Amino acid sequence: MEIKIDDLQGSGIIRLLEEHLADMHATSPAESVHALDVKALQHPSITFWSAAEGNSVLGCVALKSLSCDHGEIKSMRTSGAARNRGVATKLLNHLIADAKSRGFKQLSLETGTQAFFSAAHGLYAKHGFVDCEPFGDYQPDPNSKFMTLVLEQ
């Protein structure tokens, strides 16, 4: 598996992100969906990675810079065919290492509260993320779970 910065131009990554957005809208009320589309993920404050084997996109993750020392995880997704193969763990470890190399002291994220998101909750908790209050521009929302990790340098 190769993890690399992705330009969000390939049909495989676009399909994966479209699937991600469709699942988010099918699972959460529209006002509680904070997933970004391809155009939003191309913002200069965001670094986007994909994981692939050959021509098969296995997953993706993005790091949004909130400040000089605080980043937000966005668009964490593993393709259906690649689930339970450790793709999400490898992507998360890659993102954490990159955040540390940038001098970030904290990573935060927003995810859903529905049962659909329980695997994500477990993944983040396993890596030391703990529940926190809304951060950045987020507001309290019964459909949102906020988590954070203080990074050891």
Side-chain angles (χ1 to χ4, degrees), residues 18 30 52 122 132 134 140 144:
E18 287 172 348
C132 67
S144 288

Side-chain angles (χ1 to χ4, degrees), residues 60-150:
C60 62
V61 69
L63 176 59
K64 179 178 181 181
S65 179
L66 299 175
S67 70
C68 65
D69 63 356
H70 190 188
E72 179 182 5
I73 297 173
K74 300 294 292 181
S75 300
M76 172 68 93
R77 180 71 177 198
T78 301
S79 71
R83 299 247 163 87
N84 300 313
R85 291 184 44 198
V87 173
T89 294
K90 290 177 183 169
L91 283 164
L92 185 57
N93 285 335
H94 185 87
L95 182 144
I96 290 170
D98 186 85
K100 286 180 179 180
S101 75
R102 296 181 193 200
F104 284 12
K105 293 179 176 31
Q106 182 177 8
L107 286 174
S108 299
L109 63 96
E110 179 276 339
T111 189
T113 57
Q114 297 81 359
F116 177 85
F117 299 99
S118 62
H121 300 162
L123 173 73
Y124 295 126
K126 179 177 149 185
H127 284 84
F129 284 80
V130 295
D131 292 350
C132 67
E133 294 298 315
F135 58 91
D137 294 332
Y138 291 107
Q139 299 299 313
D141 180 344
N143 296 295
S144 288
K145 178 178 182 78
F146 302 97
M147 301 181 81
T148 196
L149 173 69
V150 174

Side-chain angles (χ1 to χ4, degrees), residues 14-25:
I14 290 171
R15 273 194 307 277
L16 184 64
L17 289 169
E18 287 172 348
E19 177 186 295
H20 179 62
L21 283 170
D23 277 349
M24 297 306 98
H25 285 283

